[in-house]
Amino acid sequence: MTFSVLKCPNCGEEYNINRNKYTCDKCGNILDVYHYDMEYKTTSMKGVWKYKNMVHPEIPENKIVTRGEGDTYLYRSDRISEYTGINNIYMKHEGENPTGSFKDRGMTVAISEAMRLQFHKTLCASTGNTSAAAASYSALAGIESYVMIPGKNVSANKLFQAISYGANIVDIEGDFDNAMSGVKTAIERTKDFYVLNSLNPWRIEGQKTIIYEIMEKLKPDFISFPAGNLGNTSAFGKALMDLKALGVIDYVPKLIAIQAEGAAPFYEYIHDNRDHITPVKAETIATAIKIGNPVNYKKAKRSIEFTHGIVEKVSDNQIIEAKRAIDRAGIGCEPASAASIAGVLKLRQSGEIDRGDTVASILTGHLLKDVSMMPEYKPLKISDIF
Ligand SMILES: *Cc1c(COP(=O)(O)O)cnc(C)c1O
Ligand SMILES: [Zn+2]
């Protein structure tokens, strides 16, 4: 019988999953979920919960709060193959989840866990998409949500979602890193909140399913994605460790984590081989990855090491150009998502990726998530078109 514990990736200390604290008492590291006697067995549920056995084996099905998230479409596009110079490039569109980003995959698991632990309130800091997902899933579960949002640094569309779903909005002066400090202050004062930030290891468990789905359909050499707070970087490596340990795959694709040049502390940390991450003041048009002090950097490093992966960075102009290509291909995504294609193009040009390699790129959010950058267009008159 599979059972789960919270385990410190640093010192190995284990804790019961019923405790609502996700840092190690001994060394302060962020805990992982660890499943004993895990089996690769799928259920008849759809999307994320198809993989219940590798995500949250013990949760009773009547506690699961789901909107059918996951099972997203995998696109191929001649235009994107031409743009990147890679024939076999696929795009997994996480923007096609219920609230428009991959955050729904982690949120269904975290909110289900909040229900199992009988919480009545949730709390998170967010660059926007986490708060949209938190607000929706909390409302669906019938519990109250509080979101700390750096108002001036979040796309209006994402704020619109959180307000519409009925979240209590705490407006934070500053950026995401200030909002994260606000969450830390709140949880030092009260134990009422179930915290939904990506230090919550159950969100990572849900996000692993992106990789399970890809590896069922493809044999990619590389998997690329934008990297901000490094939740996905952590989750994807963990998912590949699962599949390898269970004998489901016999090789490990390389992860490619792409940061924005103005928000690249993980890039510096890996390339300079530092002991600790050095926080930066983040600056990029891609607000979903505008994060200067990512919490998950140690778990993320483990993922890069395990997969012999690559950490790359791209400029805002490269992001904007890649976004235009994805949008014009009829697929579309939000700015941060386009970093995954911009980074692949850069690595193709530098020769680290070959034309014949198979690449899976994650488009993390929907085109309509951020309409602040209206593309230039020339309005026509009726008489112009005939
Ligand atoms: C949250 C988010 C990211 C960053 O993901 P991390 O797991 O924090 O690195 C990238 N793109 C979009 C659209 C997001 O919402
Ligand atoms: Zn520890």
mmCIF file of all heavy atoms in Angstrom, residues 8 11 24 26-27, ligand 2:
data_model
loop_
_atom_site.group_PDB
_atom_site.id
_atom_site.type_symbol
_atom_site.label_atom_id
_atom_site.label_comp_id
_atom_site.label_asym_id
_atom_site.label_seq_id
_atom_site.Cartn_x
_atom_site.Cartn_y
_atom_site.Cartn_z
ATOM 1 N N CYS A 8 12.326 16.065 4.143
ATOM 2 C CA CYS A 8 13.278 17.144 3.880
ATOM 3 C C CYS A 8 14.320 16.662 2.858
ATOM 4 O O CYS A 8 15.021 15.689 3.106
ATOM 5 C CB CYS A 8 13.972 17.572 5.166
ATOM 6 S SG CYS A 8 15.218 18.844 4.865
ATOM 7 N N CYS A 11 18.054 17.177 4.795
ATOM 8 C CA CYS A 11 18.569 16.354 5.894
ATOM 9 C C CYS A 11 17.854 15.005 6.026
ATOM 10 O O CYS A 11 18.242 14.173 6.838
ATOM 11 C CB CYS A 11 18.498 17.122 7.222
ATOM 12 S SG CYS A 11 16.836 17.287 7.886
ATOM 13 N N CYS A 24 11.304 22.378 7.077
ATOM 14 C CA CYS A 24 11.899 21.418 8.012
ATOM 15 C C CYS A 24 12.216 22.089 9.351
ATOM 16 O O CYS A 24 12.825 23.151 9.384
ATOM 17 C CB CYS A 24 13.181 20.857 7.384
ATOM 18 S SG CYS A 24 14.010 19.635 8.419
ATOM 19 N N LYS A 26 14.286 20.988 11.470
ATOM 20 C CA LYS A 26 15.709 20.828 11.788
ATOM 21 C C LYS A 26 16.596 21.793 11.012
ATOM 22 O O LYS A 26 17.530 22.360 11.574
ATOM 23 C CB LYS A 26 16.155 19.393 11.471
ATOM 24 C CG LYS A 26 15.577 18.383 12.435
ATOM 25 C CD LYS A 26 16.516 17.203 12.570
ATOM 26 C CE LYS A 26 16.157 16.358 13.781
ATOM 27 N NZ LYS A 26 16.446 14.936 13.551
ATOM 28 N N CYS A 27 16.337 21.914 9.682
ATOM 29 C CA CYS A 27 17.272 22.703 8.879
ATOM 30 C C CYS A 27 16.619 23.822 8.074
ATOM 31 O O CYS A 27 17.311 24.559 7.370
ATOM 32 C CB CYS A 27 18.085 21.787 7.963
ATOM 33 S SG CYS A 27 17.138 21.094 6.608
HETATM 34 ZN ZN ZN B 2 15.870 19.213 7.052
#
